């Protein structure tokens, strides 16, 4: 966790204090369930809630001797509870506490990330509607293709992040499972009722088969989902970076008063936020492979996954939380230049309308091969002139082009390309 790229609500989920508080709740709820089963005295269960406490420093001190974090925790709690503490952890194993705690933390982290996505979706919809009919050039391979609108670019991003939200909701459900099944997961020394009880108290579902650990395919899917969201962040950030290039300059990050772009060149206004988002996306994706490799544990359990998850649990969620909030801020304040978009669209002498002429020629009886040849040979003249020549005028002057001047002029209508924008918006945002 890097403080520079962290926000307090997400960080709070992963503090030692938060972790041990969840551990305590798991142990206390489990003891309540055991008391209902008359395995332990009800007075002991009540004493744990009444007297139970812990100190992070003391747990660390005990662990330096025991080399076991759960035992250190239980020892410290027992120092507060007294003799009744012997009824804690009855029939349980360390993974019951650790895995169930991780499920709670990942569920809480998911809730923060889902809220982040909701905030981003609101901004993307607002900006998409703002620029619904703002014409700009669509590019394939980085080269001018045909007209689109800037609103359509943002609608695409909205649809992508809406899918990501649905994926995260599903991943949250998948990872939020409770295991209180004892050694090797057989419930030999603890009744399944305890697991049901604790799961209900913590808002988790019951893990159907926990082999002493919750199967890590669940966690692999969760972190893979975070990786997909990070890639979507990078996709939109890369679009902004390209649009901010001096040669394009159709949109740019907000440049605040007093902000500096370069220590050497006072004129610079760099896309530093979206470049930062590109780097953060790489980090989140970097946590996916270790999560996948955690799936293959030895037999009923080993702890090769443990050290991995102590890194990737906090780091992936904290980093993605920061990245989503930063992207929301970038898109909220993004400076858009419609005039420059239109200027760039018209830069190449009407080449962007070449397909319409091609289709019109084929409908007029010209073979597709000949139609392509006629349009291309004139288009290449415009290309070689860097847009100084007009495709429309060249086509009018070409004796082999059988379309009338009026028919040709009709094929250069910009509005034609935008006729289905409403249809696409209705698909993304619903009917107006």
């Amino acid at each position: 966790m890097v403080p520079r790229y962290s926000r307090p609500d997400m960080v709070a989920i992963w503090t030692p204090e938060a972790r041990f508080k969840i551990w305590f709740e798991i142990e206390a709820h489990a003891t309540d369930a055991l008391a209902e089963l008359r395995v332990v005295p009800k007075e002991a269960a009540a004493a744990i809630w009444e007297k139970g406490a812990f100190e992070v420093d003391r747990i660390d001190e005990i662990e330096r001797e025991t080399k076991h974090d759960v035992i250190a925790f239980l020892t410290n709690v027992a120092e507060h509870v007294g003799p009744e503490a012997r009824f804690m952890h009855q029939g349980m194993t360390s993974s019951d506490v650790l895995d169930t705690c991780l499920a709670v933390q990942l569920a809480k982290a998911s809730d923060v990330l889902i809220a982040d996505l909701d905030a981003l979706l609101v901004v993307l919809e607002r900006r998409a509607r703002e620029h619904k009919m703002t014409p700009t050039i669509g590019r394939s391979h980085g080269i001018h293709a045909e007209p689109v609108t800037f609103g359509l670019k943002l609608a695409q991003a909205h649809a992508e992040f809406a899918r990501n939200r649905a994926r995260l909701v599903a991943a949250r459900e998948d990872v939020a499972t409770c295991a209180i099944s004892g050694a090797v997961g057989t419930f030999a020394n603890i009744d399944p009722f305890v697991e049901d009880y604790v799961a209900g108290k913590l808002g988790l579902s019951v893990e159907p088969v926990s082999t002493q650990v919750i199967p890590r395919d669940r966690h692999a899917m969760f972190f893979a989902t975070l990786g997909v969201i990070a890639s979507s962040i990078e996709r939109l950030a890369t679009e902004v970076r390209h649009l901010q290039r001096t040669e394009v300059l159709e949109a740019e990050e907000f440049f605040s008063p007093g902000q500096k772009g370069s220590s050497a060149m006072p004129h610079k206004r760099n896309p530093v936020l979206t470049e930062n988002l590109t780097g953060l996306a790489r980090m989140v994706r970097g946590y996916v492979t270790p999560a996948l490799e955690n799936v293959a544990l030895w037999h009923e359990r080993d702890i090769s996954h443990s050290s991995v998850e102590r890194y990737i649990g906090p780091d992936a969620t904290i980093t993605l939380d920061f990245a989503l909030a930063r992207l929301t801020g970038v898109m909220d304040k993004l400076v858009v230049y419609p005039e420059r978009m239109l200027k760039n669209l018209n830069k190449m002498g009407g080449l962007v309308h070449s397909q319409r002429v091609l289709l019109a020629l084929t409908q007029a009886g010209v073979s597709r091969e000949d139609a392509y040849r006629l349009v291309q040979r004139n288009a290449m003249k415009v290309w070689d002139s860097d847009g100084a020549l007009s495709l429309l005028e060249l086509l009018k002057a070409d004796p082999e082009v059988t379309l009338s001047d009026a028919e040709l002029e009709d094929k250069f209508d910009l509005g034609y390309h935008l006729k289905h924008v409403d249809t696409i918006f209705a698909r993304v945002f619903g009917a107006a």
Side-chain angles (χ1 to χ4, degrees), residues 151-167:
L152 283 177
K153 286 178 176 279
L154 298 178
Q156 179 280 317
H158 185 283
E160 184 171 348
F161 280 103
R163 292 192 297 273
N164 282 327
R165 186 190 189 281
R167 292 179 185 119

Side-chain angles (χ1 to χ4, degrees), residues 329-388:
V330 168
M331 300 312 297
D332 181 50
K333 294 185 176 182
L334 188 72
V335 182
V336 180
Y337 300 112
E339 297 83 4
R340 184 61 179 261
M341 290 179 177
L342 190 60
K343 179 181 177 181
N344 286 344
L345 190 156
N346 293 323
K347 181 180 180 181
M348 293 303 289
L351 290 183
V352 297
H353 302 288
S354 69
Q355 182 180 188
R356 287 205 69 201
V357 180
L358 167 68
L359 297 176
L361 285 170
T362 61
Q363 291 172 3
V366 181
S367 72
R368 184 175 180 85
E369 291 73 17
D370 286 342
Y372 197 104
R373 175 180 55 82
L374 292 174
V375 177
Q376 187 183 45
R377 77 182 182 191
N378 288 287
M380 292 304 100
K381 294 176 184 177
V382 178
W383 187 280
D384 292 339
S385 75
D386 196 26

Side-chain angles (χ1 to χ4, degrees), residues 240-278:
V240 172
R241 291 170 62 192
H242 279 307
L243 295 179
Q244 188 163 336
R245 287 183 297 126
T246 306
E247 297 81 0
V248 179
L249 202 55
E250 295 176 359
E252 67 173 337
E253 296 176 10
F254 177 73
F255 197 81
S256 60
Q259 184 175 341
K260 305 293 186 289
S262 167
S263 64
M265 296 167 284
H267 71 278
K268 296 297 292 298
R269 284 160 60 138
N270 301 327
V272 292
L273 299 179
T274 45
E275 287 176 339
N276 170 251
L277 288 171
T278 298

Side-chain angles (χ1 to χ4, degrees), residues 88-129:
M88 289 179 63
H89 208 68
Q90 290 277 314
M92 294 171 62
T93 187
S94 297
S95 293
D96 292 335
V97 179
L98 298 172
D99 281 12
T100 301
C101 174
L102 180 59
V104 172
Q105 290 175 302
L106 292 178
K108 289 183 176 182
S110 296
D111 292 339
V112 174
L113 293 173
I114 290 168
D116 292 341
L117 286 166
D118 286 339
L120 175 59
L121 288 167
V122 168
V123 169
L124 288 174
E125 179 173 359
R126 175 173 59 80
R127 299 308 304 268
R129 293 188 182 279

Side-chain angles (χ1 to χ4, degrees), residues 9 11 33 71 74 76-77 85 87 105 129 167 181 205 209 216 245 285-286 290 325 338 380 391 399 411 423 425:
D9 287 352
V11 170
I71 291 176
L74 293 170
N76 179 219
V77 174
F87 295 109
Q105 290 175 302
R129 293 188 182 279
R167 292 179 185 119
S181 55
S205 60
V209 182
R216 256 50 193 180
R245 287 183 297 126
R285 283 196 303 272
M380 292 304 100
L391 179 60
K411 307 311 172 193
T423 300
F425 263 61

